[in-house]
């Protein structure tokens, strides 16, 4: 059963690509991580606890405790029995999928709550997100407002982009560059759950001694701007007006580790492999540039149709994606697998003949 009741966009591994959290009504929840090397492809990294089915109404991805890492909140409704709300931290790991761990949500669990939606905002202006849960539908219950206890000593920054008419810029992308934890990306979306609209604010937490160095805003119509930041900008609400005229003068930006400003005044990934040819050790000499960093692997040779894995310790089958879709054709070891109702593997030279036969048979039925 697949009944979506909440979708949130977030960049959990801070690779500049948006990932998707999907809440499934009484079905498995999912966390789709966008793969860095395969266009328009996602991988579900949800753990068994994370994916555990529940009568979900809203999914929220936010940094509740301002520790640089995002949390995912599932708001459930007590439907045919108790169903507590749940909270998970999704922590970035270097050269690996994010780690997912369940957290104690405290009084916000509401196992008997008839939750019909939830949102976050900073009610009291202390820089920490507050959680608001609405109730109703099957039973009358009052609104709940919860304050986060952890993270009071962490820094924060809230960014509000505006449209050319001064309205909230729904659909804008905000990227915050930092000195220690790399870039953090937020989307100003319309909502992520059942009958809920999220605040039009990009909220960022900065743990420890980390500082924001610059912020970039990208509007849906293609306009963009970049603004350098300093220590005085921390713990503030920053409103960013729509750039009526694109400036020809590039601002001086500090982009943080792994990034450099380009000629247009925007932070861009630095290719360490090209700039520092000897950056990798002799036992792992092959350098692969990644978003904000690089990877080193062994120089392993593979037969035709295979390629080294990420760390160069084994050969894996190459996979080809046609039209950005993986559901139709796979290539492995020089052969081609075409999946219709079952999979039939043929040689690559027979692919066109097989596709023509399938097309002809579909026209005859």
């Amino acid at each position: 059963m697949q009944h979506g009741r909440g979708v949130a966009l977030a960049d959990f591994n801070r690779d500049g690509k948006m990932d998707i959290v999907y809440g499934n009504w009484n079905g498995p929840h999912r966390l789709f991580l966008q793969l860095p090397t395969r266009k328009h492809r996602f991988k579900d990294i949800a753990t068994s606890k994370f994916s555990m089915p529940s009568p979900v109404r809203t999914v929220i991805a936010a940094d509740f405790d301002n520790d640089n890492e995002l949390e995912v909140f599932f708001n459930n409704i007590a439907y045919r029995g108790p169903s507590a709300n749940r909270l998970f931290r999704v922590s970035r790991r270097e050269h690996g999928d994010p780690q997912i761990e369940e957290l104690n949500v405290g009084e916000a669990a509401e196992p008997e709550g008839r939750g019909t939606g939830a949102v976050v905002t900073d009610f009291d202006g202390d820089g920490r997100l507050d959680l608001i849960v609405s109730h109703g539908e099957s039973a009358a219950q009052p609104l709940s407002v919860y304050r986060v206890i952890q993270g009071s000593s962490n820094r924060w920054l809230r960014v509000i982009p505006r449209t050319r008419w001064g309205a909230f810029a729904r659909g804008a992308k905000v990227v915050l560059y930092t000195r220690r934890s790399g870039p953090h990306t937020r989307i100003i979306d319309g909502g992520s759950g059942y009958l809920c609209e999220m605040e039009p604010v990009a909220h960022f937490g900065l743990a420890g001694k980390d500082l924001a160095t610059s912020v970039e805003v990208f509007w849906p119509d293609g306009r963009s701007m970049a603004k350098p930041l300093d220590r005085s900008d921390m713990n503030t609400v920053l409103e960013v007006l729509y750039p009526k005229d694109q400036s020809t003068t590039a601002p001086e930006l500090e982009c943080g580790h792994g990034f450099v400003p380009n000629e247009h005044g925007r932070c861009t990934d630095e290719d360490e492999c090209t700039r520092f040819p000897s950056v990798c050790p002799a036992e792992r000499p092959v350098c692969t540039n990644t978003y904000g960093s690089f990877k080193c692997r062994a120089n392993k040779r593979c037969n035709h149709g295979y390629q080294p894995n990420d760390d160069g310790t084994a050969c894996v089958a190459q996979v080809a994606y046609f039209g950005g879709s993986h559901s139709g054709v796979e290539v492995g070891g020089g052969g081609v697998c075409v999946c219709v109702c079952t999979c039939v593997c043929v040689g690559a030279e027979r692919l066109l003949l097989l596709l023509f036969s399938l097309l002809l048979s579909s026209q005859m039925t």
Side-chain angles (χ1 to χ4, degrees), residues 1 7 94 136 146 165 220 227 262 309 326 331 359:
M1 301 293 289
V7 175
E94 190 74 17
Y146 297 101
W165 297 282
K227 175 182 173 59
N262 62 17
N309 62 0
H326 176 238
V331 177
L359 177 62

Side-chain angles (χ1 to χ4, degrees), residues 5-334:
R5 281 292 180 91
V7 175
L9 301 177
D11 183 8
F12 290 104
N13 57 354
R14 301 200 287 274
D15 66 349
K17 301 178 183 296
M18 300 313 299
D19 310 311
I20 302 174
V21 184
Y22 169 77
N24 191 14
W25 173 269
N26 281 329
H29 308 314
R30 298 178 175 89
L31 200 166
F32 291 112
L33 196 71
Q34 189 170 173
L35 303 180
T37 57
R38 296 171 181 174
K39 188 177 180 181
H40 307 311
R41 294 301 304 165
F42 293 84
K43 176 176 66 171
D44 185 12
I45 64 168
T47 61
S48 57
K49 287 186 177 181
F50 187 97
S51 63
M52 187 175 69
S54 67
V56 66
R57 283 302 180 93
T58 300
V59 179
I60 297 174
D63 187 356
F64 285 95
D65 54 0
N66 293 339
D67 68 343
N68 289 343
E69 307 294 350
L70 291 169
E71 286 81 42
V72 174
F73 177 78
F74 288 114
N75 168 227
N76 298 313
I77 184 172
Y79 174 77
R80 297 180 180 176
S83 185
N85 301 324
R86 306 177 72 198
L87 183 68
F88 294 85
R89 177 181 288 120
V90 184
S91 303
R92 179 184 180 273
R93 289 192 292 189
E94 190 74 17
H95 305 323
D97 293 339
Q99 179 180 352
I100 302 174
E101 57 178 326
E102 187 168 9
L103 304 177
N104 183 356
V105 74
E107 295 178 357
E110 296 188 349
E112 301 293 341
R114 304 301 177 98
T116 56
V119 294
V120 291
T121 190
D122 183 11
F123 265 132
D124 52 10
D126 66 351
R128 284 179 291 170
L129 293 175
D130 304 303
L131 175 67
I132 305 98
V133 181
S134 62
H135 308 90
E137 186 176 301
S138 57
Q141 290 179 337
L143 285 170
S144 299
V145 180
Y146 297 101
R147 175 181 292 177
V148 177
I149 300 174
Q150 293 86 358
S152 60
S153 62
N154 293 332
R155 296 186 179 94
W156 51 273
L157 180 67
R158 290 168 61 77
V159 182
I160 306 177
R162 298 283 186 173
T163 67
R164 68 174 68 195
W165 297 282
F168 297 124
R170 301 284 185 184
K173 181 174 74 170
V174 183
V175 183
L176 187 76
Y177 290 88
T178 66
R179 287 184 179 172
R180 298 193 175 199
S181 58
H184 300 254
T185 304
R186 303 286 188 267
I187 299 295
I188 309 297
D189 63 13
S192 58
Y194 184 72
L195 303 178
C196 291
E197 182 173 311
M198 298 299 150
E199 64 168 358
V201 182
H203 179 91
F204 300 93
L206 297 164
K209 297 181 179 180
D210 202 5
L211 290 173
T213 58
S214 63
V215 63
E216 295 180 354
V217 179
F218 300 86
W219 280 264
D221 64 358
R223 287 292 180 102
S224 65
M225 64 79 62
K227 175 182 173 59
L229 302 173
D230 56 35
R231 186 179 294 270
S232 65
D233 293 310
M234 299 301 96
N235 299 344
T236 63
V237 178
L238 176 67
E239 292 208 27
V240 179
L241 302 181
Y242 181 85
K244 295 182 179 179
D245 297 313
Q246 288 286 166
S247 175
T248 57
T249 303
E252 295 185 5
L253 300 178
E254 181 183 348
C255 299
H257 179 73
F259 296 87
V260 293
N262 62 17
E263 65 275 13
H264 304 294
R266 302 293 182 268
C267 291
T268 186
D269 174 54
E270 180 181 30
D271 189 345
E272 292 89 351
C273 299
T274 301
R275 185 177 179 185
F276 308 105
S278 302
V279 67
C280 289
E283 64 273 15
R284 290 181 291 119
V286 180
C287 182
T288 303
N289 186 58
T290 62
Y291 190 71
S293 186
F294 62 95
K295 294 189 296 185
C296 299
R297 65 170 177 83
N299 189 17
K300 188 174 183 63
R301 297 182 179 274
C302 299
N303 294 329
H304 177 70
Y306 293 84
Q307 62 186 7
N309 62 0
D310 287 342
D311 58 8
T313 58
C315 292
V316 296
Q318 293 178 341
V319 180
Y321 294 90
F322 292 80
S325 174
H326 176 238
S327 59
V329 183
E330 284 191 4
V331 177

